[in-house]
Amino acid sequence: MIGVTVSEIRAKEDAQRVRHGEPTQTEMTLGLSYMRAIERAGGLPVALPPLTSENVDPLLDRLSGLLLTGGPDLDPACYGAEPHPELGPIDHDVDVFEIALCRRADRRGIPILGICRGAQVLNVARQGSLIQHLPDTISATIEHRQPEPGDRTTHEVRVAPDSGLAQTTGGGPVQVNSFHHQAIDRLGVGLRPVAWAQDGVIEAVETVEGQEGHFVLGVQWHAETLIDEAEQLALFERLVQAAALTEPKLSQADLTTQQSIGEQEAEDSGAHAV
């Protein structure tokens, strides 16, 4: 069971009214490509709404893995910075929830994969920071917010040969798409860069080898729209494989309920046996 974050919240004023449908209301927005990628990799995806902090742990009790998805910019206040003039729309409450979710999943040893904004959430959750607007800091040799569709790759990333990412993708450079204007700046605690664009922008981070036992990886590109390529699907397969080794921790009440259900099923089966 892989939890998939929903980072984009659409105000009811911006929601589209459907003929004969219910009245517009505040909505969660999530591309189905994330869910399809997890399903194709052999996992069961579950969308996670931004909840209050007291519900983070009960939510994690049911999960074996966590996918941090793409979405809007993070509030710079989350990493102690002032907002840049080019900062996009933000939702501080969503950011606080996802950072808390990431930190507590991390402490539990739950496998984590971050995609685009998700990689940035992972870095900030580990006390790192972000470049708020890439055009201010790098030359325009690479278009990091491509006009082409998400299933098209537009540039190459160099992958560290000694990294878990290289083992996952088969080693060598990887062709990626690009839909971001922010990127990782100061690295989070226990993270190391393992992929770079030709202009030096960090394109992937993972936990320092030997420091932690569970799978933690963040990639700056949108791998979920590229899963027809084996090296891109492999990222989700690695998450699902790691999650298969992680057992959700059920409460005593859950165990008692499961036992009661099992006993009832056994009783019903015996009653209908021929």
Side-chain angles (χ1 to χ4, degrees), residues 112-124:
I112 301 171
L113 173 62
I115 300 289
C116 198
R117 166 194 160 94
Q120 297 169 9
V121 169
L122 171 62
N123 191 61
V124 171

Side-chain angles (χ1 to χ4, degrees), residues 90-163:
I90 59 172
D91 191 320
H92 183 77
D93 291 341
V94 172
D95 299 341
V96 168
F97 168 73
E98 290 191 2
I99 290 170
L101 186 72
C102 183
R103 284 175 176 165
R104 296 187 202 179
D106 222 352
R107 286 200 293 267
R108 288 171 178 241
I110 292 175
I112 301 171
L113 173 62
I115 300 289
C116 198
R117 166 194 160 94
Q120 297 169 9
V121 169
L122 171 62
N123 191 61
V124 171
R126 285 172 166 250
Q127 301 172 6
S129 67
L130 303 178
I131 299 169
Q132 290 193 48
H133 191 56
L134 280 172
D136 286 353
T137 62
I138 60 171
S139 59
T141 56
I142 291 178
E143 178 57 71
H144 284 281
R145 191 155 192 88
Q146 68 185 52
E148 293 85 356
D151 60 355
R152 308 278 181 85
T153 59
T154 56
H155 73 88
E156 183 177 278
V157 300
R158 174 174 57 89
V159 179
D162 62 341
S163 64

Side-chain angles (χ1 to χ4, degrees), residues 48-63:
L48 305 180
L51 304 177
T52 53
S53 59
E54 60 265 26
N55 286 312
V56 169
D57 283 313
L59 191 61
L60 289 172
D61 285 343
R62 273 72 176 176
L63 301 178

